[in-house]
Amino acid sequence: MPRQAPYLAMADVLRARILAGEWGVGERLPSRARLAREYGVGRNVVQRAMDRLIIEGLLEGRAGSGTYVRVPRERLRLVRSRHRERRGAAPAGTGERGRADAWDAHSVVRVPAPEDIAGRLAIGVGDLCVTTHYEFLAGGQPVQLSESWEPMALTGGTPVVLPETGPLAGKGVVARMRSIGVVVETVVEVPRPARATREQAHLLGIGLGDLVLRIERTIFATDGRPVETADIVIPDARREVVYEFGVERP
């Protein structure tokens, strides 16, 4: 039987001590050096164990101060469904609470597409796009970030070139594209775990390196053409992301 990695064994020990109440909520744990001496392991083993417990939400690191037992936070449900618009009502029975009720948005036009975005939009590197940065709020608290890219070859010169201004401001990609004769058919989302960057941590009010869910979303028209791609960032400690799918009826 494979032997458990030392840092996982160390994480189990620290988790048991925390759950037993040896260190209370908000209390600082002993230093890495002290714990390493106590258990006869390297500091890197202690650090990796603490990192794992930070990801689990039991601990939080404070720059220049140490590692503390984290105040428990309720993880609210965020439902992603193909049956509603981006800002529509939650489907009945999903148990979703704390849904974003406000947002701030800032768009920039004529931004050259970097290589990864160009690939996702099936355009040339450097082709001009509109990029929009969103900060979604629930009860005044930040709950989600999004960076959206749309090719200007599609929307340039139309009334909907800017997602949050004009006649269809805030109506979402589907309605805006429909107004210029583009019918949206498919949305593809690729969720991946990631660590919060310094900017993301600042905007979301979480710790640098905290676990986040990064969703790469691309929206396609009926002809298979990508019309928008976005990176959505959701703090893992605050949100439980649930995907809802309908069942086709015979």
Side-chain angles (χ1 to χ4, degrees):
M1 186 173 180
R3 179 174 175 267
Q4 187 180 37
Y7 82 92
L8 293 176
M10 187 73 211
D12 289 344
V13 170
L14 293 178
R15 187 187 302 105
R17 293 177 69 176
I18 292 167
L19 296 178
E22 185 170 342
W23 300 297
V25 171
E27 188 174 347
R28 185 173 63 183
L29 267 65
S31 68
R32 284 176 297 166
R34 178 176 165 184
L35 288 170
R37 288 194 302 269
E38 182 177 347
Y39 288 96
V41 298
R43 292 190 188 187
N44 63 319
V45 171
V46 177
Q47 183 61 59
R48 290 190 67 188
M50 287 183 167
D51 286 344
R52 184 174 182 85
L53 297 182
I54 288 172
I55 291 173
E56 292 179 8
L58 284 176
L59 298 177
E60 63 178 342
R62 301 179 188 174
S65 180
T67 305
Y68 293 76
V69 178
R70 190 172 208 163
V71 177
R73 295 177 179 174
E74 182 184 11
R75 293 179 79 221
L76 299 179
R77 177 166 290 190
L78 176 64
V79 178
R80 302 191 66 76
S81 169
R82 66 183 178 136
H83 300 294
R84 56 180 173 168
E85 293 285 342
R86 177 180 60 183
R87 301 185 182 104
T94 60
E96 183 182 15
R97 294 188 295 113
R99 183 167 172 78
D101 51 27
W103 61 92
D104 291 326
H106 174 67
S107 294
V108 181
V109 299
R110 302 182 64 80
V111 180
E115 184 175 0
D116 61 328
I117 296 298
R120 285 155 59 175
L121 289 175
I123 60 177
V125 175
D127 284 1
L128 299 181
C129 296
V130 175
T131 180
T132 304
H133 297 266
Y134 292 93
E135 297 177 38
F136 293 93
L137 309 172
Q141 298 299 314
V143 294
Q144 179 178 310
L145 304 175
S146 180
E147 182 181 81
S148 165
W149 293 76
E150 296 179 356
M152 289 196 70
L154 182 63
T155 61
T158 73
V160 296
V161 64
L162 298 177
E164 300 299 327
T165 61
L168 293 179
K171 297 298 183 182
V173 176
V174 175
R176 290 175 48 248
M177 293 300 165
R178 187 187 301 120
S179 75
I180 58 173
V182 178
V183 179
V184 167
E185 181 178 57
T186 308
V187 179
V188 175
E189 293 195 347
V190 183
R192 296 188 179 95
R195 296 296 188 94
T197 64
R198 189 173 302 278
E199 181 181 8
Q200 291 166 353
H202 173 71
L203 292 173
L204 290 169
I206 59 178
L208 174 64
D210 277 5
L211 189 65
V212 296
L213 182 66
R214 177 178 172 268
I215 301 174
E216 179 185 300
R217 181 192 72 192
T218 305
I219 298 178
F220 296 86
T222 51
D223 60 3
R225 172 178 40 169
V227 300
E228 188 250 18
T229 193
D231 289 317
I232 300 165
V233 177
I234 300 167
D236 182 78
R238 297 181 186 172
R239 285 292 183 272
E240 175 187 59
V241 178
V242 176
Y243 282 84
E244 180 186 81
F245 300 93
V247 177
E248 291 188 6
R249 299 178 181 178

